Amino acid sequence: MPPRKLLRHLVWLESFTAAVEAGSIDSAAEHLGVARSVVSEHIRSLEMALADGATLLERGPGRRLQLTARGERLFAGTQTPLHQLDMKRLIDLASAEPVVRLGLNPTLSLSLLGKVAQDAAARGLKLVLSFGGPHELTRQVQTRQLDLALDFTPLPPHEGVESESLLRMPFVVLAGPGSALASSAASRRSLHVRDLGGQPFVDWLRDDPYGGANSARFAAHGVTVSEVARVESFLLLYDLLRAFSACAIAPDLRRMHPFPPDIHAWPLEEEEPQAVAVVALWPSGALSLGASTLLDGLRQPV
């Protein structure tokens, strides 16, 4: 099988990386087995393609090559599998304006994206947004495809990832308008799992830990509900509660975003209260300045 041929921009990047690591054009050329002029041409082509000709490398003390500010961002962001480094990504890394690649749980996009976007706009940060579940977001942080991710606990194992809990939320019982529970418990200040026996119930998907927690709650108290639907996000939950006149057990998001006014909510009484946390994730030792700025804003009370 013939050797795989790298895309042109990755050949340029190989010369750039070799020059950074070797400290000189001559040493990089020797390492790559090419002429000095080839390495110089590749680096210049990379500068023209990514940074409008702005330099990524400059001479330092002892004439050893050192990275410019734009070169530092490019070099740090390219320590990732080659197939993930398309030209648009490289241009973002070498951009004069800071770029933050942010991954969000879909539910958190409903609650936090407005605040994050305002903070980014106020500080001149370009946002590149994506959405995913915990396994996908964690993997993208591990492989440095994301500078920062926001998700709920519990999370999958995340070696090579740093994390910080931003907000803890207890569980609540929710009920749609016209549901039997909304009528019978309207004056109640809180509800127990036992109060849900026989009610039409919207659960979380089977592989979602919240759904597992609900199953454990019902089993522990000998409660049976009538499951009418399953969801994976609050983006889907409210319409199902309305359509089926049903109830659900879910994290209390009200510190971030109010529930719709027609959805009834009660704190959930539990012998051993459980909580869900909103967590920020970033690559170990690689919290970029832009991501740090957004994280500082998220640490403030919502």
Side-chain angles (χ1 to χ4, degrees):
M1 179 181 293
R4 181 174 61 129
K5 185 176 181 180
L6 291 177
L7 296 173
R8 183 175 59 176
H9 70 277
L10 296 180
V11 174
W12 299 342
L13 188 64
E14 184 180 41
S15 291
F16 167 75
T17 301
V20 173
E21 294 176 345
S24 73
I25 300 293
D26 289 331
S27 297
E30 182 179 353
H31 171 73
L32 295 172
V34 299
R36 184 186 193 282
S37 60
V38 172
V39 176
S40 296
E41 181 183 346
H42 288 173
I43 293 173
R44 188 58 183 161
S45 295
L46 197 65
E47 291 171 337
M48 294 300 296
L50 303 184
D52 296 324
T55 56
L56 300 172
L57 290 166
E58 60 188 7
R59 295 288 181 186
R63 296 189 60 76
R64 183 177 175 85
L65 289 176
Q66 64 182 23
L67 292 162
T68 65
R70 297 174 81 166
E72 284 182 1
R73 289 198 296 272
L74 176 63
F75 184 71
T78 54
Q79 307 307 296
T80 191
L82 285 178
H83 71 274
Q84 297 165 3
L85 297 174
D86 59 21
M87 280 296 288
K88 182 173 286 189
R89 171 63 188 141
L90 295 180
I91 290 171
D92 283 343
L93 287 170
S95 172
E97 62 179 345
V99 178
V100 179
R101 298 164 300 162
L102 176 66
L104 284 168
N105 170 291
T107 295
L108 285 174
S109 69
L110 174 71
S111 307
L112 293 180
L113 183 53
K115 174 178 173 57
V116 170
Q118 289 177 355
D119 286 348
R123 290 163 175 78
L125 297 173
K126 176 181 176 180
L127 278 182
V128 178
L129 292 168
S130 62
F131 303 94
H135 289 277
E136 177 64 13
L137 292 177
T138 301
R139 184 188 66 79
Q140 290 189 27
V141 172
Q142 287 173 321
T143 55
R144 303 191 178 214
Q145 296 177 67
L146 292 175
D147 301 307
L148 185 67
L150 302 174
D151 205 349
F152 292 111
T153 57
L155 294 170
H158 46 274
E159 182 179 353
V161 174
E162 295 182 41
S163 61
E164 178 180 331
S165 178
L166 300 174
L167 177 67
R168 285 177 58 82
M169 298 169 293
F171 282 86
V172 292
V173 176
L174 301 177
S179 65
L181 194 63
S183 300
S184 64
S187 61
R188 297 276 297 275
R189 300 188 65 176
S190 62
L191 294 178
H192 193 278
V193 169
R194 290 186 293 267
D195 297 315
L196 307 187
Q199 296 288 333
F201 190 79
V202 179
D203 206 352
W204 305 92
L205 294 179
R206 288 298 187 201
D207 59 352
D208 190 300
Y210 306 149
N214 289 339
S215 297
R217 290 180 176 106
F218 295 142
H221 295 92
V223 171
T224 300
V225 296
S226 175
E227 185 184 275
V228 295
R230 297 188 199 132
V231 298
E232 62 179 353
S233 169
F234 268 82
L235 301 179
L236 310 171
L237 179 60
Y238 302 132
D239 284 339
L240 292 174
L241 292 178
R242 296 182 182 109
F244 288 96
S245 297
C247 61
I249 296 175
D252 189 352
L253 298 184
R254 286 176 291 188
R255 287 183 60 186
M256 297 188 298
H257 193 86
F259 293 139
D262 62 334
I263 299 295
H264 300 263
W266 302 263
L268 177 64
E269 300 173 18
E270 298 193 87
E271 289 77 9
E272 296 182 6
Q274 301 182 53
V276 171
V278 176
V279 179
L281 307 168
W282 62 90
S284 295
L287 183 62
S288 68
L289 180 60
S292 178
T293 298
L294 294 184
L295 187 55
D296 286 341
L298 290 164
R299 290 182 178 120
Q300 305 301 316
V302 179

